[in-house]
Structure formats: structure tokens, C-alpha cells
Amino acid sequence: NLRLGGQGAEGDPGAPRGDLMVTVIVEEDENDYFQRNGADVHVEIPVSVTQAILGGSVDVKTLTGTAEMKIPQGCQPDTKLMMRGKGIPYLKSSQKGNQIVHLKIEIPQKVTPKQEELLREFDAETDKSGQRISGRLAEAAGSAFDSFFGNNKSPSDETKDSKEDVSKSKEESDDENHKKSQST
């Protein structure tokens, strides 16, 4: 409620005007597009894997309309970009808060055979260029492509397979040593 002193109806003869009471009702954001945090406004914007890797631009709704925002190359999941001065005005100030854009990278659930071929080429090129995660972390995570689109083996299955390979090679080695000891 806002109270505007002396702006209401006329009082009794010779008395000052009354106060005007204003009730402000703010309409809810039906889609929960905008989330407020103080004077800052947060929004989530979906971007494709290609946009996240190569960069580009997206249209973002703001409190005053729509603005085009540039997406830099190499965005990671949960990247936050800021639109300065696009938030809520501070009380008794000409300054405004910011609008923070949270990028949500959308990974397709299905790919065409051509897309799969291109993604596999990309994965192989990433491996050749040395930009892949290496060591135990890579083994645990599997290749990026297989993690997303599947070879239907989980990292624990791969660990089991590698343990089986190690135990088989140990058994073969033991058999060879046993045969050598018998022949001498």
C-alpha cells in the first residue's frame, strides 16, 4: 500500500484533504520466466550444443522487451551471462539491477545417422588434438560421445571388463609359467 498525504478526498469544511491510499498489485509471472533476487533478475535460456561450442546469439526477454544477447564460444553448462542495467530499479536511485542469464545447454535425445557420424568425427578429432580429458578421469567418464549417446556400457561395466582382462592375462601368464616349469 502507498500512502499519498493530502491527496485524498476533501475533508469537512475547513479541514485538510484526506490521504489517498493506493494498493499496488503486481501480476505474477505465469511461466516463472523471471526470478528476482533483490534488484537483479535471473532467467534461464536454452541453447543448443552447437551454440554453446561455436557461439552465436539468442533473443532474451527483459522487463522492458526483448534484447539480443551474444553467446561466446566455448560456453560450459550453467554459464551465467550478465545484462547490465536490465534489472529492477533501486529505490530512490536512477540505477538498476542486472539481468543474469543462465544458459541451459540442451542435449538432443535422438540424433540422425549423419549427426552421429559427425559427432564421432568430432570426438575423434578432439582425441587427436589432445583436448580430451585424460587418465583415470577419462576412463571413468568414458568418451563424451559415448556418455551422451551411448555404447550402452556404464563406466562400471568398463571397469569390470578391464578387471576381467587383467585376470585373464594373469591366468594365461600363470599357465605359461606352469608349462615351463613342467618342461624343465
Side-chain angles (χ1 to χ4, degrees):
N1 287 336
L2 298 175
R3 182 179 185 197
L4 302 174
Q7 300 295 314
E10 292 182 14
D12 292 332
R17 296 178 68 110
D19 295 339
L20 175 63
M21 300 298 287
V22 179
T23 301
V24 178
I25 299 172
V26 178
E27 191 173 318
E28 287 289 322
D29 178 16
E30 293 175 16
N31 300 324
D32 289 331
Y33 183 81
F34 297 104
Q35 298 294 319
R36 182 177 179 174
N37 184 6
D40 293 336
V41 175
H42 295 259
V43 297
E44 286 186 3
I45 299 294
V47 294
S48 69
V49 172
T50 309
Q51 283 177 305
I53 295 170
L54 301 176
S57 65
V58 291
D59 288 336
V60 179
K61 285 189 221 173
T62 67
L63 297 174
T64 58
T66 303
E68 184 177 352
M69 174 173 243
K70 291 188 178 182
I71 307 296
Q73 282 186 339
C75 285
Q76 299 299 308
D78 296 322
T79 295
K80 297 174 191 168
L81 303 174
M82 188 180 312
M83 301 175 80
R84 296 195 186 280
K86 295 287 186 182
I88 297 169
Y90 288 101
L91 289 175
K92 300 179 184 176
S93 172
S94 61
Q95 293 183 328
K96 289 184 175 184
N98 300 313
Q99 181 163 329
I100 291 90
V101 178
H102 300 257
L103 299 183
K104 294 296 174 193
I105 300 173
E106 292 185 331
I107 298 171
Q109 293 181 348
K110 293 183 181 183
V111 292
T112 66
K114 178 69 174 175
Q115 290 169 324
E116 182 177 343
E117 177 187 342
L118 293 170
L119 284 167
R120 288 192 185 278
E121 285 179 31
F122 176 79
D123 198 44
E125 185 63 30
T126 302
D127 208 15
K128 281 189 227 173
S129 68
Q131 294 178 349
R132 176 180 294 265
I133 301 170
S134 61
R136 288 188 211 163
L137 182 60
E139 290 173 11
S143 81
F145 181 83
D146 289 340
S147 295
F148 290 130
F149 302 108
N151 62 357
N152 295 331
K153 279 191 175 183
S154 69
S156 62
D157 291 340
E158 291 175 10
T159 305
K160 287 177 191 172
D161 289 349
S162 65
K163 285 180 182 176
E164 287 173 11
D165 292 344
V166 168
S167 64
K168 283 180 187 177
S169 64
K170 187 173 190 270
E171 288 171 12
E172 291 168 0
S173 175
D174 290 346
D175 286 345
E176 285 179 26
N177 289 340
H178 183 67
K179 287 178 186 176
K180 285 181 185 176
S181 65
Q182 285 181 345
S183 65
T184 55

